[in-house]
Amino acid sequence: MTKTQEQTIEREPMNRDFYKLFINGEQVESDNGERTKIYNPATGKVIAEVAKASKKDAEKAIQAARNAFDHGKWKLTPPGRRARVLNKIAEIMGSRFKELVELEILNTGKSLAAAKGQIAQAIEDFEFYAGAIVGHGGTVNNVPGQFHNYTEKEPVGVCAQIIPWNYPLMMAAWKIAPAIAAGCSVVLKPASLTPLTAIVLGEICHEAGVPEGVVNVIPGSGSEIGNYLVEHELVNKVAFTGSTPIGKDIMGKASATLKRVTLELGGKSPNLVFEDADIDAAVDGSLYGIYNNTGQSCDARSRLYIHEDVYDEFIEKFIAKTEKIQIGDPFDKGTHMGAIIDQTQLDTIKGYVQFAIDEGAEILTGGKVLKPEGFEDGFWYAPTVIGNVTQEMKVVQEEIFGPVVVVSKFKNEKEAIALANDSEYGLASSIWSTNGARATRVANQIQAGIVMINCPFSAFPGTPFGGYKQSGFGRELSKETLDLYSETKSIMSYFGSRPINPFGI
Ligand code: NAD
Ligand code: MN
């Protein structure tokens, strides 16, 4: 976009006192006028109010999405044209990058570096799907002579998308981008604590040319609005990211109408450091693996298993660097770790650490609430390493969702694999070894949707993201995601010169 064009667009500032629902291409108040206060977790202060969707608003959003899907032009728009709109969304997000980053930080207390990385990725997600949708299509299949068969990919319909608070904009992008690329309509319900950037994204989609009703964003209560979407008969699919118990509840309820369901749930991802690892690289990658996003990541590598020969060296270095992690002003470039999302989550973390102590584990560093200067009313927890743990302990089996890692030793490859797989979850995993054959062998035996070898990052746009076991099913962020927003239609025809008369009547 040229400068002059940009100047002619009248936009509201992203950072506002009050955010409305986004339904059918319009910003609207909630039906009953209810509002929710939104806090900055770094300061504990109210930063804005948001309209709180009622069931009536949810109904309105579903009707808008249904109408757009059944009678609108979006699904009939050629993929290349839809791609152009997705690229436009990315372009507008890019031109407002700084504002988006600021808003995300204000609403989550996450560090500047984390927010920048996540929003850059959200932009690339739209670009990725803009490319991928153009190559997404059906197949021609082998059938007996004089028959012809081909398949079409058709958008699945109206999608309810329910997302958590840990990556508000990135999760919204993971959901909206593939759905609209495929031609679906969506009703997105952001997490109650963090709806701001998702609402703005809805507005940006509209500005970029997504027709009204195709993207609707309705912040509101999970048990009320989320549930309403899940049970509604006009909704064809539910895509959920959040905790495993809610995921199970959703899957059960969606069965009444046989909605398509994809679930991205919790994790307790193992991190294996072998005796032949580059120890310094393993230390640095493992720090990121657990403390990125203040440990509030589904893919947090929260179980650290270290070969006994290198345990002491690794732990000494890991703790020394853990104690160097800068915590405080999220907008400060030097800050490594931001705030915890709210008091409830902080209490959960405190509770887990106390459990560990009660069960006989040892706090090697951290284990306490922090009050960084100038941010005393926010929610902060020290990066924490817990040693002397056994597999049965709660802190080893359950997802804490905070900057807390448990560490223990293993003797050999077989034991490492057994420990890694001793979990009801199976989202991510890391392997640190300079022996390529070993790393590959171990990767093949780990029960997880994502394996990282000598690498701290779990995903880039284009790489499938999702879990095994109770971490859910379905994959996001990749080409196959488009299949999960599509139905496959098989079209069979006969071109023989003689009529077919199977009954011979
Ligand atoms: P949550 O399950 O409490 O809430 C997630 C979303 O579901 C929110 O929008 C919430 O309002 C809504 N919700 C709550 N109850 C509902 C109901 N009965 N019906 C429908 N919707 C309902 O999760 P959270 O506390 O926001 O986020 C933390 C969890 O999310 C962690 O377990 C984490 O592992 C998981 N997570 C998973 C991934 C992944 O990709 N696998 C990514 C991020 C977070
Ligand atoms: Mn929750």
Side-chain angles (χ1 to χ4, degrees):
M1 195 188 295
T2 64
K3 261 242 149 68
T4 40
Q5 270 176 310
E6 201 153 12
Q7 280 156 358
T8 62
I9 296 170
E10 274 190 43
R11 288 178 178 139
E12 271 181 272
M14 224 176 255
N15 190 348
R16 309 166 197 160
D17 294 333
F18 177 51
Y19 295 77
K20 295 181 179 170
L21 313 175
F22 192 73
I23 300 177
N24 209 23
E26 285 177 18
Q27 298 182 30
V28 291
E29 284 257 22
S30 59
D31 170 70
N32 56 18
E34 265 195 65
R35 297 182 176 196
T36 312
K37 287 189 168 55
I38 302 299
Y39 293 84
N40 176 347
T43 62
K45 302 237 155 52
V46 173
I47 49 167
E49 287 190 325
V50 170
K52 184 180 182 210
S54 67
K55 284 185 186 163
K56 270 198 185 158
D57 298 310
E59 181 63 34
K60 223 164 90 182
I62 293 167
Q63 294 292 348
R66 191 74 253 170
N67 187 51
F69 188 78
D70 293 341
H71 309 294
K73 58 179 192 245
W74 183 245
K75 73 164 187 260
L76 305 173
T77 303
R81 290 267 189 97
R82 292 203 296 263
R84 207 186 290 166
V85 175
L86 268 86
N87 278 320
K88 185 77 189 174
I89 296 168
E91 189 190 312
I92 297 172
M93 290 171 81
S95 73
R96 307 188 74 182
F97 184 73
K98 202 163 164 269
E99 276 180 285
L100 281 168
V101 168
E102 274 176 25
L103 192 59
E104 194 79 325
I105 293 172
L106 285 173
N107 197 178
T108 58
K110 63 179 71 204
S111 71
L112 180 66
K116 275 185 169 174
Q118 291 159 24
I119 287 165
Q121 204 232 60
I123 294 170
E124 286 169 26
D125 294 340
F126 281 94
E127 292 167 339
F128 167 72
Y129 285 112
I133 193 60
V134 178
H136 185 248
T139 52
V140 177
N141 305 299
N142 282 330
V143 284
Q146 303 190 330
F147 290 89
H148 176 62
N149 178 267
Y150 66 99
T151 61
E152 292 271 17
K153 296 287 182 187
E154 295 183 350
V156 78
V158 172
C159 303
Q161 304 184 314
I162 302 175
I163 57 174
W165 44 258
N166 55 345
Y167 297 102
L169 186 65
M170 205 174 82
M171 287 295 119
W174 282 27
K175 292 282 181 283
I176 292 175
I180 65 173
C184 295
S185 298
V186 310
V187 179
L188 178 86
K189 196 204 82 64
S192 310
L193 297 172
T194 57
L196 304 188
T197 46
I199 295 172
V200 170
L201 179 59
E203 297 166 9
I204 290 176
C205 288
H206 189 64
E207 182 187 327
V210 176
E212 58 198 33
V214 173
V215 172
N216 306 276
V217 183
I218 51 165
S221 139
S223 50
E224 201 181 316
I225 301 311
N227 201 45
Y228 191 79
L229 297 172
V230 170
E231 291 186 335
H232 205 288
E233 57 186 15
L234 295 183
V235 173
N236 303 100
K237 168 178 166 124
V238 184
F240 172 77
T241 297
S243 58
T244 296
I246 306 282
K248 289 178 181 176
D249 182 59
I250 285 177
M251 189 171 167
K253 288 183 172 145
S255 73
T257 44
L258 277 179
K259 287 183 177 58
R260 283 77 185 110
V261 176
T262 50
L263 302 172
E264 298 281 9
L265 309 176
K268 190 77 184 178
S269 298
N271 188 350
L272 309 177
V273 180
F274 286 91
E275 68 278 19
D276 50 23
D278 173 336
I279 297 296
D280 291 321
V283 166
D284 295 343
S286 303
L287 281 174
Y288 179 88
I290 181 65
Y291 301 128
N292 174 45
N293 214 47
T294 321
Q296 302 170 122
S297 286
C298 50
D299 66 347
R301 264 75 14 98
S302 51
R303 293 186 291 141
L304 189 38
Y305 298 106
I306 303 148
H307 190 275
E308 56 187 8
D309 290 354
V310 292
Y311 183 87
D312 290 342
E313 181 193 352
F314 181 94
I315 285 295
E316 190 185 317
K317 289 181 169 172
F318 186 76
I319 288 179
K321 287 208 174 178
T322 292
E323 289 171 352
K324 279 195 189 157
I325 286 184
Q326 294 296 314
I327 298 152
D329 187 354
F331 284 99
D332 188 328
K333 282 200 183 84
T335 296
H336 299 121
M337 216 176 78
I340 303 295
I341 198 71
D342 68 354
Q343 185 65 48
T344 308
Q345 190 59 26
L346 187 60
D347 290 341
T348 302
I349 296 167
K350 278 160 65 181
Y352 272 113
V353 171
Q354 190 55 48
F355 253 118
I357 295 168
D358 295 345
E359 287 185 303
E362 190 187 343
I363 308 301
L364 303 178
T365 184
K368 56 177 189 285
V369 170
L370 299 177
K371 298 272 170 205
E373 208 191 316
F375 295 89
E376 290 84 357
D377 296 328
F379 315 109
W380 302 86
Y381 201 81
T384 300
V385 183
I386 304 181
N388 200 23
V389 294
T390 53
Q391 279 300 112
E392 323 74 62
M393 286 185 183
K394 243 176 156 49
V395 278
V396 177
Q397 291 298 335
E398 296 184 13
E399 183 180 49
I400 299 174
F401 228 57
V404 180
V405 65
V406 294
V407 297
S408 53
K409 290 179 199 178
F410 64 83
K411 285 189 170 53
N412 54 44
E413 204 177 293
K414 194 166 165 241
E415 190 190 6
I417 293 163
L419 289 166
N421 289 339
D422 177 23
S423 170
E424 69 183 26
Y425 294 115
L427 187 57
S429 56
S430 284
I431 297 167
W432 300 91
S433 167
T434 53
N435 178 339
R438 158 180 274 169
T440 309
R441 196 159 60 228
V442 175
N444 285 348
Q445 292 173 79
I446 288 192
Q447 298 157 353
I450 299 152
V451 182
M452 290 156 266
I453 299 175
N454 299 324
C455 164
F457 302 130
S458 59
F460 294 103
T463 63
F465 192 98
Y468 281 25
K469 304 198 274 188
Q470 296 202 27
S471 290
F473 52 83
R475 294 293 179 271
E476 298 195 284
L477 208 60
S478 57
K479 281 196 222 166
E480 64 197 276
T481 312
L482 292 171
D483 284 332
L484 298 172
Y485 283 100
S486 308
E487 295 284 8
T488 300
K489 180 177 282 174
S490 165
I491 296 146
M492 186 81 78
S493 62
Y494 171 69
F495 54 84
S497 52
R498 292 179 32 202
I500 304 177
N501 182 2
F503 286 153
I505 299 169

